[in-house]
C-alpha cells in the first residue's frame, strides 16, 4: 500500500502545466493528426490555427464538445513554462523567430526529462527497498540538473541513453513490488493478442476484473470497459487509456499513471485517483 505523507505531492507540483507562463509550445512544436483527436493535421513547428496572438487557445472551452480528445489528454508536465521562463528567460518564438526551431527541439527534450522525473518521483514514493530508493533519488537529482542546462546543453544530451537508464531502474522497482498480477490476469493476458508489440485490449470488457498488480505497461486500452476494476499496484506506464471507462475503478494506488492518461479516460466521482493527479473536472457522478 502506498503511504502518503503531507509532503508527498509537493514534488509533483513542479511538474504541473501553467499555460499562463508558456508560449503555446504544445500548440506549435508538436505534430498533430486529426485522426488522433486534434483539430487538424499539422506539421511540427507550425502553429495551430486556433492559437491566438496571446498564446492562448481560442477553442479551449469547446474541446470536449468538439471531441478533440488529443488536445484534452495532452499534458506537458510543466515543460512549457520551464522552457519559456527558465531556459529562455522569457523570450518567445514570435519575438525571436531565429530561435524558434531550437526552442521547439528544446521543448521536446525537456518534455522527456519531465516525463522521467514524473515516473521517478512516483517510484520514490512506492519503493520499499533502501538500495533502490538511493538510486532513484540520485537519478532524480541528475534529471533536475539536466533541466537547468542551457539550450546547447539540453540539445547535446544523449536522451535515449538516459531513458534506457531510467527504464531499467523502473523495471527494478516493479520487480521489487512483485508486479505481474494474479493467475486470473495472467490467463486473460495470455488469451489476448498484441498490436505493434503492445497488448491489445482495445474495447475489452474487463468490468470488475481483479487487476491488482497486473502489468499493463504499454497496453492498448482505448475504449476498454474497466468499470469497478481493482487496479491497485497495476503498472500503467504508457498504457493508452483514451476513451477507457474507469467509473468506480480503484486507481488510487496504480503505478506510473500520468495526468494525460487520466484526462483521456472516462471516469466519475467514484473513481479512485492518486492524490498527486486529482480528478478531472468533467468526471461527474
Amino acid at each position: 500500500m502506498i503511504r502518503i505523507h503531507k509532503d508527498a505531492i509537493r514534488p509533483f507540483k513542479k511538474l504541473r502545466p501553467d499555460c499562463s507562463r508558456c508560449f503555446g509550445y504544445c500548440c506549435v512544436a508538436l505534430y498533430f493528426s486529426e485522426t488522433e483527436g486534434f483539430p487538424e493535421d499539422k506539421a511540427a513547428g507550425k502553429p495551430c490555427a486556433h492559437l491566438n496572438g496571446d498564446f492562448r487557445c481560442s477553442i479551449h472551452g469547446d474541446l470536449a464538445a468538439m471531441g478533440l480528445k488529443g488536445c484534452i489528454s495532452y499534458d506537458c508536465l510543466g515543460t512549457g513554462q520551464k522552457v519559456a521562463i527558465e531556459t529562455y528567460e522569457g523570450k518567445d518564438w514570435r519575438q525571436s523567430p531565429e530561435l524558434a526551431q531550437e526552442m521547439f527541439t528544446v521543448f521536446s527534450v525537456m518534455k522527456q526529462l519531465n516525463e522521467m522525473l514524473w515516473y521517478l518521483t512516483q517510484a520514490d514514493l512506492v519503493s520499499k527497498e533502501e538500495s533502490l530508493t538511493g538510486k532513484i533519488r540520485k537519478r532524480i537529482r541528475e534529471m533536475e540538473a539536466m533541466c537547468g542546462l542551457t539550450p546547447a546543453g539540453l540539445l547535446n544530451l544523449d536522451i535515449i541513453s538516459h531513458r534506457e537508464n531510467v527504464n531499467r531502474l523502473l523495471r527494478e522497482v516493479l520487480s521489487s513490488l512483485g508486479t505481474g498480477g494474479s493467475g486470473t490476469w495472467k490467463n486473460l493476458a495470455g488469451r489476448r493478442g498484441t498490436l505493434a508489440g503492445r497488448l491489445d485490449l482495445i474495447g475489452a470488457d474487463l468490468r470488475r476484473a481483479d487487476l491488482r498488480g497486473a502489468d499493463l505497461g504499454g497496453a492498448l486500452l482505448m475504449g476498454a470497459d474497466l468499470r469497478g476494476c481493482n487496479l491497485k499496484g497495476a503498472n500503467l506506464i504508457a498504457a493508452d487509456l483514451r476513451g477507457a471507462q474507469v467509473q468506480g475503478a480503484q486507481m488510487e494506488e496504480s503505478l506510473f499513471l500520468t495526468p494525460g492518461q487520466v484526462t483521456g479516460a472516462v471516469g466519475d466521482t467514484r473513481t479512485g485517483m492518486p492524490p498527486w493527479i486529482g480528478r478531472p473536472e468533467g468526471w461527474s457522478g
Side-chain angles (χ1 to χ4, degrees), residues 250-276:
Q250 299 175 53
M251 302 174 71
E252 57 271 32
E253 293 182 30
S254 297
L255 302 174
F256 305 131
L257 192 62
T258 66
Q261 287 172 293
V262 170
T263 52
V266 182
D268 61 13
T269 55
R270 299 170 298 126
T271 308
M273 294 303 305
W276 51 86

Side-chain angles (χ1 to χ4, degrees), residues 141 163 170 187 197 228:
R141 291 192 295 271
R163 288 193 77 95
L170 296 180
N187 290 336

Side-chain angles (χ1 to χ4, degrees), residues 135-198:
K135 289 196 285 186
I136 292 165
R137 293 180 180 176
K138 179 183 178 182
R139 190 67 66 183
I140 288 174
R141 291 192 295 271
E142 291 173 351
M143 292 288 117
E144 289 176 336
M146 291 177 204
C147 288
L149 291 172
T150 63
L154 287 161
L155 294 175
N156 283 328
L157 288 175
D158 184 353
I159 204 73
I160 294 176
S161 175
H162 291 302
R163 288 193 77 95
E164 289 173 349
N165 290 334
V166 169
N167 288 340
R168 188 159 46 246
L169 184 52
L170 296 180
R171 285 194 295 269
E172 286 186 60
V173 172
L174 290 170
S175 178
S176 71
L177 295 172
T179 300
S182 65
T184 301
W185 157 247
K186 290 176 181 177
N187 290 336
L188 172 65
R191 294 199 302 269
R192 303 294 301 200
T194 59
L195 184 61
R198 302 171 69 177

Side-chain angles (χ1 to χ4, degrees), residues 30-95:
L30 305 178
Y31 160 76
F32 284 178
S33 171
E34 189 174 4
T35 60
E36 294 178 348
F38 290 97
E40 59 182 353
D41 290 341
K42 184 190 80 64
K46 174 187 173 183
C48 174
H50 302 287
L51 183 66
N52 286 333
D54 61 356
F55 303 107
R56 300 293 177 267
C57 174
S58 63
I59 57 171
H60 183 74
D62 300 316
L63 295 177
M66 296 172 68
L68 300 180
K69 296 179 181 179
C71 296
I72 293 169
S73 62
Y74 182 78
D75 192 300
C76 77
L77 299 176
T79 301
Q81 69 261 25
K82 192 173 287 186
V83 172
I85 304 302
E86 297 178 21
T87 309
Y88 285 98
E89 301 178 331
K91 295 179 183 176
D92 70 66
W93 49 271
R94 282 180 174 146
Q95 293 175 330

Side-chain angles (χ1 to χ4, degrees), residues 206-239:
L206 300 170
R207 281 174 291 180
R208 301 194 181 282
D210 183 359
L211 299 177
R212 288 177 295 176
D215 187 359
L216 291 163
L220 300 173
L221 287 156
M222 293 92 84
D225 194 339
L226 295 159
R227 287 177 290 176
C229 281
N230 188 339
L231 286 154
K232 291 184 178 181
N235 171 30
L236 290 171
I237 192 167

